[in-house]
Amino acid sequence: MKKDCSLTKKTKMRIALFSDIHANFPALEACFKSIEEQKPDAIYCLGDLVGYNTWPNEVINEIRRRGIPTIAGNYDQGIGLMSDECGCAYKTDTDKDNGKISISYTNSIVGKDERQYLRTLPAHIKVEFQLNNDKLNLLLVHGSPRKINEYLFEDRDEKSLLRIMEGADADIMCFGHTHKPYHRTLPTEPSENTHYRHAINIGSVGKPKDGNPQGCYVILTINQDSSITNKEAVQVEFIRFNYDVEKAAKAVESSPLPNDFAEMLRGGY
């Protein structure tokens, strides 16, 4: 999916980006309340609407009701295909066992229409800006352009990140999947016109893993002076918001899902 955006003089584009709700409807409601206060010009969702909590249908239907352009996350893909695999990387046998319970439970409660919606979500969205006789490509993916479930952590080698972005023709690449927010500015080899690329992990709305239980999303600002040769071409603001963590945690504890998931919500890990 590709869009073309032109910014006229004295204007700026503020884009809200959120991801990894994971069936946490209280967090999504609080996220939308916060986004509405920001009054962005556009909103995009980078996937993983379902899994690990009890409200997959409510999350899907609220995003559909609002008409928010959304890409597929690896968990959405698994549930859309009614698979018993979500493409997640689990470190321990306990995590693997808990993951199997989660995807089995999610498959058992997701509605037919909601599953069909997940199955038809696009893999990525590219938004092309035309600024100052320059092209600025914003690429939205879930894991990476190469693979829906590839983890791009903050400590990824700079050359590796650049290769991924160059291969996808992405000047700004926004993604989720790791549930750990960061922004890295990546210059090409120093020259008179160094090309700067921006790798932005937008964090998680409903299942943070950075030690902060607050939900997270990003406001990305692009203005009329933005350029691939300007290191400060884009402004990235990570918005953290409070939500009823206990409501979400107790919903887990009252369901067939493992209680470990409730403690993860409380601790943000």
Side-chain angles (χ1 to χ4, degrees):
M1 184 184 294
K2 186 173 180 179
K3 295 189 177 183
D4 192 350
C5 293
S6 299
L7 298 185
T8 57
K9 191 176 181 180
K10 295 183 179 179
T11 64
K12 62 182 179 180
M13 174 72 74
R14 299 179 73 247
I15 303 170
L17 302 159
F18 68 96
S19 184
D20 296 278
I21 305 97
H22 284 297
N24 188 339
F25 193 58
L28 182 64
E29 289 182 306
C31 179
F32 281 141
K33 182 178 179 181
S34 179
I35 288 175
E36 286 161 6
E37 292 169 355
Q38 292 289 332
K39 297 181 170 60
D41 299 295
I43 305 175
Y44 294 96
C45 175
L46 274 57
D48 268 6
L49 282 60
V50 301
Y52 304 115
N53 216 313
T54 63
W55 296 282
N57 296 308
E58 290 84 349
V59 167
I60 291 168
N61 289 323
E62 183 63 16
I63 287 174
R64 294 183 75 183
R65 185 183 72 80
R66 290 172 178 263
I68 295 172
T70 301
I71 60 176
N74 55 291
Y75 221 113
D76 304 323
Q77 185 180 73
I79 297 300
L81 295 173
M82 206 166 182
S83 169
D84 60 359
E85 291 289 339
C86 66
C88 308
Y90 297 120
K91 294 181 179 179
T92 69
D93 289 340
T94 298
D95 289 342
K96 289 178 184 177
D97 291 342
N98 287 345
K100 288 179 181 178
I101 295 170
S102 174
I103 197 160
S104 174
Y105 172 72
T106 304
N107 266 321
S108 74
I109 64 173
V110 166
K112 180 180 178 181
D113 289 345
E114 288 80 7
R115 194 186 305 277
Q116 289 177 345
Y117 169 76
L118 294 179
R119 193 178 301 155
T120 58
L121 289 173
H124 66 260
I125 294 174
K126 180 174 280 188
V127 184
E128 181 180 299
F129 294 89
Q130 298 288 342
L131 305 168
N132 307 307
N133 298 314
D134 200 0
K135 183 179 72 172
L136 189 69
N137 281 337
L138 166 63
L139 180 64
L140 309 179
V141 299
H142 181 71
S144 86
R146 304 187 303 191
K147 200 172 181 182
I148 195 171
N149 64 339
E150 181 174 11
Y151 291 86
L152 298 181
F153 290 106
E154 189 171 6
D155 61 358
R156 172 65 72 105
D157 179 74
E158 185 172 294
K159 289 182 179 179
S160 173
L161 261 182
L162 274 172
R163 280 196 300 272
I164 291 169
M165 295 183 69
E166 288 168 357
D169 192 21
D171 303 304
I172 308 166
M173 185 172 71
C174 296
F175 48 97
H177 192 45
T178 72
H179 302 202
K180 296 182 177 182
Y182 68 85
H183 172 205
R184 289 179 63 183
T185 303
L186 308 167
T188 55
E189 293 298 323
S191 66
E192 186 176 336
N193 293 307
T194 300
H195 184 166
Y196 293 96
R197 299 180 191 268
H198 299 264
I200 305 162
N201 189 304
I202 64 173
S204 170
V205 167
K207 203 175 187 295
K209 293 183 180 179
D210 61 343
N212 183 347
Q214 291 178 306
C216 181
Y217 68 94
V218 157
I219 294 291
L220 176 70
T221 301
I222 299 171
N223 59 54
Q224 71 270 20
D225 297 320
S226 293
S227 166
I228 60 173
T229 59
N230 177 5
K231 186 177 181 181
E232 309 298 330
V234 300
Q235 289 77 54
V236 180
E237 185 178 2
F238 295 96
I239 309 291
R240 303 306 291 246
F241 60 89
N242 294 314
Y243 77 95
D244 193 339
V245 175
E246 273 306 301
K247 181 178 180 180
K250 287 177 180 176
V252 169
E253 291 171 340
S254 299
S255 77
L257 292 166
N259 288 347
D260 288 351
F261 295 164
E263 291 308 308
M264 290 174 184
L265 292 176
R266 292 181 176 114
Y269 64 90

